[in-house]
Amino acid sequence: MIPVKSVGEIGVMREACAIAANVLELLCRAVEVGVNTYDLDQEGKRLIASYGAKSACFQYRAGSRVFPSHTCLSVNDVIVHGIGSLNTVLKQGDIITVDVCVEYKGFIGDNARTIAVGEIPDTTRQLLEATQEALFLGISEARAGNRVGFISNAVESFIRPKGYGIVRDFVGHGVGRSMHEEPQIPNFGPRKSGAKLRAGMTLAIEPMIALGRHQVEILPDGWTARMKDRSLSAHFEHTVLVTNGEPEILTVPTV
Ligand code: MF3
Ligand code: CO
C-alpha cells in the first residue's frame, strides 16, 4: 500500500522538505578544497538542528548496522551512503554527493546533489548534468494515473544511450512518515510496470549514475557503497508531490 497524504500531512511534508533543501543548499556552500567530510557532516548536524529538525540518517538501522553520520557525503566513486571522515579531505577535481534527509514534526524530507570541488573535466561535468537532467525527466512523469515505471523508464531511456552505468542496487522510494515507504522507484525498467500513482503520494526520485559499469560494492564499514570499477558516480534526488496537475518538487531551498 502506497500512503496517500492528507492536506494536513502534505503541509508538514512541505516544511520538512524545505528544511532538507535549505540544509542541502547551505552544506553545499561549505564544500571547498581542503575540508574533510567529518567537518562537513558536523556542519550538517548543526544546520539541521538550527531548523529544529533531526537527521533521519543518524542512527538509522538496517539489521544490526547503525548509520553513524548525520548526512551522507559520498566522494568520487562512492555512489551513496558515504560516512563523514577526518581522512576524507576534499581536493581540487573531486566530486561529492551531499545527501540530506531530515525528520521534522514526524515527516521526512530527502534530497541530494552531486557537486564539483573546484574545476572538473568536461566528461565529469557531463555526468553530473546528465544525472540531474535524468532526475528532472523522471520527476516530469510523477503524475496521477502514470505508473512508477513511467519514471523509471524516463531515467533509463535518457541515460542508457550515453553508455553510463545505471545503479541497480539502490532505488528511489516513497517517503513520508518513514524514510523508505512504498513504492520502490528503480532507475530502469519498462514503462508499463509498477503501481499507479495518485495525487497525495510523495516520492523520493533519485537517479544514481556512473561513468563506468553499474556494479557497486559495500565497504567493510557496512554502509559505504562504491562503484566496483572505481568509476566516478553522481546522484541527484528530490522529494516530489504527485498532484492531479504538474508534479511539485517539495525540496526547493528558500535560502
Ligand atoms: N537519502 C538516503 C536514502 O534515500 C538516505 C539514507 S542514509 C541512511 O536512502 F544511512 F540513513 F540509510
Ligand atoms: Co532517498
Side-chain angles (χ1 to χ4, degrees):
M1 258 280 293
I2 304 177
V4 169
K5 277 78 180 180
S6 68
V7 170
E9 289 172 323
I10 291 166
V12 188
M13 276 298 287
R14 279 185 203 293
E15 294 182 80
C17 288
I19 293 169
N22 286 346
V23 172
L24 175 61
E25 173 64 30
L26 295 171
L27 198 48
C28 284
R29 288 182 202 166
V31 168
E32 58 183 344
V33 173
V35 302
N36 67 68
T37 59
Y38 178 84
D39 287 345
L40 275 180
D41 186 60
Q42 288 299 115
E43 176 65 3
K45 174 186 179 179
R46 194 189 65 72
L47 286 166
I48 293 167
S50 77
Y51 285 99
K54 260 182 46 180
S55 165
C57 294
F58 184 63
Q59 296 187 330
Y60 179 86
R61 285 171 177 279
S64 59
R65 299 173 300 127
V66 181
F67 195 70
S69 196
H70 299 81
T71 61
C72 298
L73 298 165
S74 307
V75 177
N76 294 338
D77 54 353
V78 175
I79 177 66
V80 286
H81 302 166
I83 294 167
S85 165
L86 289 169
N87 297 322
T88 306
V89 180
L90 298 181
K91 52 188 196 309
Q92 161 73 29
D94 283 343
I95 54 173
I96 178 171
T97 303
V98 180
D99 188 339
V100 173
C101 192
V102 305
E103 183 182 334
Y104 182 72
K105 297 184 183 169
F107 284 85
I108 307 272
D110 191 3
N111 64 167
R113 145 186 356 150
T114 305
I115 60 172
V117 182
E119 291 294 307
I120 53 170
D122 284 348
T123 47
T124 314
R125 170 83 47 205
Q126 284 154 11
L127 172 73
L128 269 48
E129 285 171 3
T131 306
Q132 184 171 37
E133 186 165 352
L135 169 60
F136 286 117
L137 291 169
I139 290 171
S140 70
E141 297 290 344
R143 293 166 187 279
N146 285 2
R147 292 182 178 276
V148 170
F150 285 47
I151 299 171
S152 306
N153 194 258
V155 173
E156 181 177 23
S157 26
F158 177 67
I159 293 294
R160 189 162 297 288
K162 300 181 184 298
Y164 295 147
I166 302 173
V167 170
R168 307 178 77 87
D169 291 4
F170 299 96
V171 295
H173 49 92
V175 57
R177 289 187 192 273
S178 310
M179 181 159 67
H180 297 133
E181 298 182 344
E182 284 184 51
Q184 295 206 124
I185 310 174
N187 292 301
F188 54 89
R191 197 164 148 86
K192 286 186 183 157
S193 66
K196 269 208 177 154
L197 301 178
R198 287 176 53 195
M201 292 178 178
T202 44
L203 310 174
I205 301 175
E206 47 181 326
M208 288 157 263
I209 309 295
L211 276 182
R213 297 177 57 79
H214 75 266
Q215 286 86 355
V216 304
E217 64 188 17
I218 307 296
L219 298 195
D221 63 28
W223 290 101
T224 308
R226 180 173 69 181
M227 302 314 299
K228 240 187 177 138
D229 65 4
R230 310 279 208 271
S231 64
L232 293 176
S233 58
H235 172 207
F236 284 78
E237 175 179 35
H238 273 305
T239 301
V240 176
L241 172 67
V242 179
T243 74
N244 285 314
E246 291 299 307
E248 190 186 337
I249 298 175
L250 298 182
T251 38
V252 178
T254 58
V255 287

